[in-house]
Amino acid sequence: MDPCPFVRVMVDSLALKLPHATKPAGSGVHSSTTPCFCELRIKNFPPQTALLSLSSSTNDSPPDSFTSAHGFNLDPTALRRLSGKPITLRVSVYTGRMGRTCGVTSGKLLGRVNLSIDLDAAKSSPRVIHNGWMKLGSHSDKPSSARLHMTVRAEPDPRFVFQFGGEPECSPVVFQIQGRDIRQPVFSCKFSADRNSRFRSLPPDFTSKNNRGWRRTFSGERERPGRERKGWMITIHDLSGSPVAAASMITPFVPSPGSDRVSRSNPGAWLILRPHGFSVNNWKPWGRLEAWRERGPVDGLGYKFELVTDNGPSSSITIAEATLSVKRGGEFCIDSRLLRDSGLNYSRSPVKGFVMGSSVEGEGKVSKPMVQVGVQHVTCMADAALFVALSAAIDLSMDACQLFSHKLRKELCHDEQNFLS
């Protein structure tokens, strides 16, 4: 398998040093307590914002505390478009609270800095663009100017890219994307929706009374016919027809009592499985995905993904947790930089760098997920298949979390006319 070239621009060690004479950003605001943030822009990419730590370090010493931005990922299309052209990273620093009013940044501008980045050089080897303090503002030659500290790096980040040839529930072929026009079939999918067998295709020890951590016991509202979505499974096969990964709905998606939505307190769940031993029906869990429908001003698909260890469910490690827009969709992503900023237990995580990203379409839209996987996380095709199965599970979760007052498409309910009560 040949990966596609990507370049990652990372911005770390962000800190701000304010002069004592900084004018207040508002009534009663002093420079030592004023919240500060920066906005990072590269042309034709969505802007990013990051809070800034206020540093009290002396002279040119590194900051005593700092923050980081998510950074920018440049895919093969962007690299082709920008080939031979340096790009400019513009960092604007503001005092005040983050946010926008009528499309205008609400903070008070302190100053801007620009950095030029040679992408052609970064495609072949890591580059440090800047590391240290920079003066801000139009009077940056004055010793009393505010100063910004940051470390900017650009480095190659090759990834394998796959795309489903159709919606996962339609059992499509999965292609590997190589270059601009090369699409090579590498996997096939088989989707099934057997509502009469909740734990099929799992070995007996996973459903025994000693392993109830993988699932929940259900009663009352959870067992009412037509009020649960269960038994979904998608199996990934290699070109020889052998199963190499699967995603199995281990916990049904059911509405919370008195509502028509899957709640965070009672999410549905999938096990992401890899073959174990020589039997085609013997599986070992690799990961567990929970999903639910978030309440709020904007409908969201909430999710949490855990890596499963050999010690069982009690020692699973959460490596991704976020919310996607039900209307617009978004990207499911596993990335050490996002994990670090999420508040999860980063120290326990084995995640290093970019792991995977998968496109997710909004509710009711045709979805052919595009999956990116970092090369350092793939040693064989079976490794890649696990990420493809996970991508299918998060895509199908958008359907599984659809309001129960709505009818599902026929491919998702082979054994029922619909799931309406």
Side-chain angles (χ1 to χ4, degrees), residues 144-212:
S144 60
S145 296
R147 302 174 74 197
L148 174 70
H149 187 281
M150 62 180 174
T151 300
V152 180
R153 294 173 293 141
E155 62 183 36
D157 189 23
R159 304 173 187 181
F160 296 111
V161 181
F162 306 92
Q163 185 171 26
F164 286 73
E167 297 184 282
E169 61 267 31
C170 296
S171 300
V173 170
V174 177
F175 298 90
Q176 184 186 358
I177 309 300
Q178 296 173 297
R180 185 183 303 183
D181 302 313
I182 302 175
R183 291 166 55 89
Q184 178 182 354
V186 288
F187 301 117
S188 61
C189 301
K190 176 62 178 177
F191 176 79
S192 58
D194 182 358
R195 288 170 51 79
N196 296 317
S197 182
R198 178 180 296 156
F199 301 113
R200 58 185 170 70
S201 299
L202 294 180
D205 56 321
F206 284 99
T207 57
S208 71
K209 62 182 179 181
N210 296 322
N211 286 283
R212 287 178 181 172

Side-chain angles (χ1 to χ4, degrees), residues 186-188 236-244 381:
V186 288
F187 301 117
S188 61
I236 312 299
H237 300 262
D238 63 19
L239 294 182
S240 71
S242 300
V244 287
M381 290 296 287

